Amino acid sequence: MNSYIVAYRPDSTILTNNIFLTDQIVNAAKSIGKVLIQNSIFIKNNGSPEELRIADSQLDNCLTYNYGAGNYNLSADAAAVNMSVNNMLYNTNPQFENINLSTSNLFSIDNNYKLATGSPAIAAGLNNEDMGVFGNGFTFSN
C-alpha cells in the first residue's frame, strides 16, 4: 500500500511533530517553494526495505524506521530540484511506549505513541524538542 503527502501551497506548508505512515512527499507546486517537515517520525512495518521518496521538500530533525525487514531510507524523486535534509535519524527505532506490530498497518487507537524513556527521539528535534506527536509541549490525545 502506498500513501502520499501532497502539498499544494508549499510556501505556507509547515508540518511539525507528526507520525507519518507514508511512502512519498509530493510538492504539487514546486515552483512556489518547499514543503517543510520538522520533528516528525516516519514509520513503516513492511517485510522489505522501504524508501521515503521526497521531492522539493525540506526535512529537519526527523526519524525513519521500518519495523519489518530492512531499512527505511530517503530517496530523492527523479524530478526533485529543491530538496534538503538536516539532522535526520535514519533507521532508528523511536521506542514508543506500546505499539502493536501484528499487522502492517501501524495506526491503531490502541497504540501508545508516547516516547519511552531512553528513546533516541527525545530532545532530538529542533530546539531540543521531542519528535513525534507529543513533542513541542502539545498535549496529544487519541
Side-chain angles (χ1 to χ4, degrees):
M1 180 174 99
N2 291 331
S3 56
Y4 305 91
I5 297 171
V6 179
Y8 291 97
R9 292 290 304 175
D11 62 331
S12 62
T13 303
I14 300 174
L15 303 171
T16 187
N17 291 91
N18 289 283
I19 298 173
F20 293 107
L21 293 81
T22 189
D23 298 306
Q24 189 169 5
I25 301 168
V26 177
N27 181 343
K30 61 178 115 184
S31 62
I32 295 173
K34 291 191 241 188
V35 177
L36 176 59
I37 300 176
Q38 303 170 323
N39 296 0
S40 294
I41 298 173
F42 294 85
I43 55 174
K44 298 296 277 185
N45 186 17
N46 288 342
S48 60
E50 285 290 327
E51 286 190 345
L52 173 62
R53 296 175 305 281
I54 64 173
D56 303 288
S57 304
Q58 178 175 331
L59 275 65
D60 293 331
N61 298 74
C62 294
L63 176 149
T64 65
Y65 189 66
N66 180 11
Y67 286 94
N71 292 331
Y72 189 9
N73 296 312
L74 295 182
S75 170
D77 184 283
V81 295
N82 194 13
M83 184 184 91
S84 60
V85 177
N86 301 297
N87 301 314
M88 291 286 294
L89 294 175
Y90 297 103
N91 304 304
T92 303
N93 188 336
Q95 299 176 15
F96 295 119
E97 287 282 336
N98 182 27
I99 189 164
N100 181 353
L101 300 176
S102 63
T103 67
S104 63
N105 183 2
L106 291 173
F107 178 77
S108 171
I109 197 74
D110 297 322
N111 285 343
N112 183 345
Y113 298 101
K114 288 182 182 175
L115 300 173
T117 302
S119 167
I122 293 175
L126 294 170
N127 302 315
N128 296 318
E129 297 168 358
D130 293 350
M131 293 178 179
V133 296
F134 292 97
N136 200 21
F138 179 73
T139 304
F140 177 81
S141 173
N142 286 343

